[in-house]
Amino acid sequence: MGSCNHQEIKAHLQEAMAAEEDIHTNDGTIDFGNKPAVKKETGTWKACPYILGNECCERLAYYGINTNLVNYLKFELNQGNVQAVNNVTNWSGTCCVMPLIGAFLAYAYLGRYWTIASFSIIYVIGMTIVTMSASVHGLKPLCDERNVCHPTGLQIAVFFPCVSSFGADQFDDSDEAEKKKKSSFFNWFYFSINIGALVAASCLVWIQTNVGWGWGFGIPAVAMAIAVVSFFAGSRLYRYQRPGGSPLIRICQVLVASFRKFRIKVPADKSLLYETADAESAVIGSRKLDHTKQLSFLDKAAVETPSDCVKGSVNAWRLSTVTQVEEFKSIIRLLPIWATGIVFSAVYSQMGTLFVLQGNTMDLHIDNSFEIPSASLSLFDTISVIFWVPIYDRLIVPLARKFTGHKNGFTQLQRIAIGLVISIFAMLTAGTLELVRLREVKKHNYYELKHIPMSIFWQVPQYFIIGCAEVFTFIGQLKFFYEQAPDAMRSLCSALSLTTAALGNYLSTLLVNIVTDFSTRHGKPGWIPDNLNYGNLHYFFWLLALLSVLNLGVYLMVARCYTYKKLVVSSH
C-alpha cells in the first residue's frame, strides 16, 4: 500500500515538473522581471511587431541618409564622381563595421535589449545633430574640406545585428512549433527593413531634392524617435537572454590552453575531453555543443592534466570545456563562408553610388512634367524585395520542399548560392545598359548633354535583379550565421555577417581607385570620369561580374566542405 502511494506521489511530482517545464521556455530566456519567461505571455509573434516596427523606422532613417548621399556630395559639396563614390562606400563600410562593438557589449555586459535601447537613443541624438547641421545657419560644417556632413557609422549601425538576434530570441529553439515560426522571422525582418527603405527611396529622396536637406534629414530623425518608442513599447512582452560574458575572452582562453598543451596528445576517446557534468553549459546562455573532428589541434585545450586545477578550481586559461572549444571552431568554420559575401556586397553597394551617377546622365522626366530623382530608382530594388519575400516564403519554399525534402526548401547555403548567381546577371545588365547608353552618346554626339534622351527607367531591371538576389543571399546569410553561431555568440556572428557589407564597400572603394589610376594614365578620361559620357563605366560593371563568377566558384568549394555545428542531445 505504502509502495503504491510512493509511486503515485512520484508520478504526480513528475507530472508537475513536466507541466512547469511546458509553461516556461526551455532556452534559458527570462522576462522583463528577471523571471523564467512564460511561453504564452512572452515572445513569438506577440513581441515581434514592436521589434519589426523599430527596424522599419530605423532603416527609414538610415536609408533616408544613405540613398541620396552621393548626390548630396556631388551637387551640394561639388565633389567629383570618384571622390563622392569613395566617400559613400567608405561611410557605408564604417556603418557595417561598428556593429561588432554593439555585439561585444551585448554579450559581455549589457545584453541585447539594453544595447539596442542605449544606442537607439544615441542614434536619435546623432540624427538630430545631422538635421541641424543641414538646416541651421552657422552649424553647417565645411564639408568640402573635412567631409563631416553625415552621421558617424557608430551612431547609425552599432545596434543593427542585436535587433535581428533579439527578434530571433523571441522563439524557443527547443519548441518545434516556435522553431518553425523563427524560420519565417528573418524573411519578415528583412521585409520590414525594405518597407523603411521604400519610403526613404521615394518620399524622402524627393523631399531632399525638391524641398531641402533640412527636411530631408529631419524626417529620418523623427522616424528614429518613433523607432525608439516602438521598441520600448514591447518591453514586457520580450524574452531576454542573460549576458554570457565576453566571447573574445573565451576564444583567447581556448587558444592559450591549446598552445600550452601543444605537446599533449588528444585521446582517441573524445568522451575523455573535459566537459561540465551539469546538463547546462558552463557558458551562460549557451547549450552544450558536441565534439567535431575538424581543427583537432584546438581539442588539446580540453585535455585534462594535473596542473589544470588551482586550489580545487579549474583554471580557465589552462582547461576549456568541449563547448568552449566547439564555439571557437564554429567561428573559424564560418569565416570562409563569410569571406565569400564580400564581393556580393561590393555589387550591392553600386546601387547607392554608380547606379545613381549612371541615372543622372539619363532622362529623369515622367510625361515631360514630373522629374524623378535618380536615387529614387532604388525603390525598385525595395519593391523587388517586398515582392520576393512573400513569394519565397509562401510559394518557393513549399515547392522546393517537395523536391529537396528539406523543411526550409533549400539549405541556407543553397539559398546563398542562388543569390550569388543572380547577382552576376545584375552586373551584366548594368554593364549592357551603359554600353547601349554610350553608343547613343556617340551616335548623336551627346557628349556635353547633361541628360541624354534615354529614359532612366531602363535601369529598373538591374535594381530589380539585385533585389531578388538580396532575398536569397542577404536573408540566407542572416539566417545561416544566426543558426550556426554558438548560442552565446549570436549577436557577434550576426555582426560578423554584416561586416561583409563593410568590406564589400571598402572593396568597391579599392576597385574604383585602382581602375581610376589605371585608366587615367596618359591623359585619358578613365572609366569613371566626372562626365560619364566620356567614360567606360560598363567595364567596371563587367569587372564586378567577372569577380562575382570567380567568387561563386570559391563559394561552392567552401560550402561543400562546411561542417554544421552539433548540439549535445539531452538525455532528460
Side-chain angles (χ1 to χ4, degrees):
M1 187 72 176
S3 175
C4 290
N5 287 336
H6 177 72
Q7 292 296 331
E8 287 178 8
I9 293 170
K10 185 177 179 180
H12 285 308
L13 285 173
Q14 289 176 341
E15 288 177 7
M17 290 173 64
E20 182 70 16
E21 288 181 0
D22 193 52
I23 291 172
H24 297 100
T25 57
N26 296 317
D27 58 0
T29 51
I30 56 177
D31 63 16
F32 190 71
N34 210 33
K35 298 176 182 178
V38 177
K39 282 187 178 182
K40 291 185 178 180
E41 296 178 3
T42 62
T44 65
W45 287 109
K46 294 187 293 294
C48 285
Y50 299 97
I51 297 171
L52 297 179
N54 166 271
E55 188 60 21
C56 179
C57 293
E58 185 276 326
R59 290 289 93 180
L60 189 155
Y62 171 78
Y63 286 112
I65 300 290
N66 183 71
T67 303
N68 209 21
L69 186 57
V70 70
N71 279 336
Y72 183 71
L73 298 176
K74 180 176 173 64
F75 297 114
E76 296 295 317
L77 307 178
N78 297 316
Q79 294 185 1
N81 280 351
V82 171
Q83 185 183 7
V85 166
N86 286 346
N87 281 337
V88 172
T89 50
N90 287 338
W91 174 76
S92 298
T94 303
C95 286
C96 296
V97 166
M98 300 313 293
L100 287 171
I101 296 175
F104 174 78
L105 292 174
Y107 273 118
Y109 304 108
L110 300 177
R112 284 194 269 269
Y113 175 83
W114 286 112
T115 301
I116 297 168
S118 301
F119 285 102
S120 290
I121 294 170
I122 294 173
Y123 197 154
V124 173
I125 295 171
M127 292 294 294
T128 303
I129 293 172
V130 170
T131 303
M132 293 174 66
S133 73
S135 57
V136 179
H137 184 70
L139 293 180
K140 297 180 180 180
L142 298 174
C143 298
D144 56 332
E145 295 178 4
R146 300 180 62 187
N147 293 325
V148 288
C149 52
H150 37 68
T152 66
L154 176 62
Q155 295 161 345
I156 287 290
V158 71
F159 71 101
F160 174 79
C162 292
V163 177
S164 61
S165 297
F166 185 68
D169 285 347
Q170 306 309 309
F171 302 89
D172 185 355
D173 269 343
S174 63
D175 186 307
E176 284 301 319
E178 291 194 15
K179 189 175 182 179
K180 188 176 180 180
K181 293 176 183 177
K182 180 188 285 190
S183 180
S184 294
F185 169 78
F186 287 101
N187 291 334
W188 293 105
F189 177 79
Y190 206 75
F191 182 89
S192 300
I193 289 174
N194 281 273
I195 291 294
L198 178 64
V199 176
S202 52
C203 301
L204 283 181
V205 169
W206 187 88
I207 290 170
Q208 289 166 351
T209 305
N210 296 282
V211 178
W213 291 96
W215 280 99
F217 289 158
I219 293 173
V222 173
M224 192 57 223
I226 295 172
V228 174
V229 172
S230 173
F231 180 73
F232 280 117
S235 296
R236 294 192 175 279
L237 294 174
Y238 299 148
R239 296 174 184 173
Y240 304 84
Q241 289 280 4
R242 295 184 178 92
S246 172
L248 298 181
I249 291 177
R250 293 200 300 276
I251 288 173
C252 291
Q253 287 171 340
V254 172
L255 279 174
V256 170
S258 298
F259 280 107
R260 277 179 167 171
K261 299 176 180 178
F262 73 95
R263 287 194 177 95
I264 294 177
K265 187 177 180 180
V266 178
D269 184 0
K270 299 305 183 286
S271 65
L272 298 176
L273 296 175
Y274 175 69
E275 183 58 276
T276 57
D278 300 332
E280 297 295 324
S281 166
V283 181
I284 299 173
S286 183
R287 292 167 292 178
K288 284 185 177 180
L289 294 174
D290 206 355
H291 177 265
T292 56
K293 296 179 181 179
Q294 289 78 17
L295 304 167
S296 58
F297 173 80
L298 297 175
D299 292 338
K300 295 177 184 289
V303 177
E304 297 186 66
T305 62
S307 62
D308 292 337
C309 294
V310 179
K311 295 181 181 179
S313 61
V314 173
N315 184 340
W317 294 92
R318 288 184 174 274
L319 182 63
S320 302
T321 65
V322 171
T323 294
Q324 284 178 275
V325 173
E326 291 301 321
E327 274 190 338
F328 190 22
K329 287 184 181 181
S330 295
I331 298 296
I332 295 174
R333 283 194 290 262
L334 285 172
L335 291 179
I337 301 294
W338 165 84
T340 56
I342 296 172
V343 172
F344 180 85
S345 294
V347 169
Y348 177 79
S349 71
Q350 304 314 307
M351 283 199 306
T353 52
L354 292 178
F355 280 16
V356 176
L357 295 179
Q358 182 188 45
N360 285 339
T361 67
M362 305 175 77
D363 184 4
L364 306 178
H365 289 90
I366 302 175
D367 295 331
N368 297 320
S369 55
F370 183 77
E371 186 174 290
I372 182 172
S374 58
S376 286
L377 263 289
S378 64
L379 68 88
F380 288 100
D381 162 74
T382 306
I383 290 171
S384 177
V385 172
I386 292 172
F387 171 78
W388 282 109
V389 164
I391 292 293
Y392 182 88
D393 204 38
R394 306 300 182 190
L395 295 179
I396 295 178
V397 168
L399 183 62
R401 191 183 292 136
K402 292 179 181 179
F403 293 95
T404 65
H406 193 276
K407 62 180 180 180
N408 294 327
F410 302 105
T411 66
Q412 298 310 325
L413 290 176
Q414 290 170 338
R415 180 174 184 172
I416 293 169
I418 293 170
L420 294 179
V421 172
I422 294 171
S423 70
I424 296 170
F425 290 99
M427 287 298 96
L428 292 175
T429 302
T432 302
L433 174 64
E434 181 63 12
L435 182 62
V436 172
R437 193 191 70 82
L438 288 176
R439 285 177 178 173
E440 286 296 304
V441 169
K442 184 177 181 180
K443 181 178 179 181
H444 300 285
N445 196 27
Y446 289 148
Y447 289 101
E448 299 301 326
L449 198 62
K450 185 177 180 181
H451 303 291
I452 73 167
M454 183 177 183
S455 175
I456 193 174
F457 288 101
W458 283 107
Q459 282 192 308
V460 170
Q462 63 204 52
Y463 281 102
F464 199 84
I465 294 171
I466 285 187
C468 181
E470 281 180 68
V471 170
F472 284 90
T473 293
F474 274 158
I475 300 179
Q477 283 180 342
L478 199 62
K479 294 178 71 172
F480 178 75
F481 276 81
Y482 182 89
E483 290 174 355
Q484 291 304 305
D487 292 345
M489 292 187 179
R490 279 174 165 168
S491 280
L492 181 66
C493 288
S494 294
L496 189 65
S497 71
L498 199 60
T499 58
T500 60
L503 294 177
N505 277 283
Y506 294 145
L507 174 61
S508 179
T509 299
L510 178 64
L511 291 174
V512 167
N513 287 334
I514 290 174
V515 301
T516 299
D517 181 64
F518 171 78
S519 63
T520 55
R521 293 175 182 175
H522 310 298
K524 294 181 180 179
W527 289 7
I528 315 172
D530 289 341
N531 185 343
L532 290 179
N533 293 336
Y534 290 99
N536 291 289
L537 181 58
H538 55 296
Y539 289 163
F540 188 79
F541 291 141
W542 289 345
L543 172 63
L544 283 175
L546 176 61
L547 290 176
S548 297
V549 171
L550 297 175
N551 182 65
L552 176 63
V554 173
Y555 173 84
L556 293 175
M557 288 189 293
V558 168
R560 183 171 293 181
C561 299
Y562 183 80
T563 301
Y564 288 86
K565 76 173 184 181
K566 295 192 295 182
L567 291 169
V568 172
V569 180
S570 175
S571 59
H572 298 287

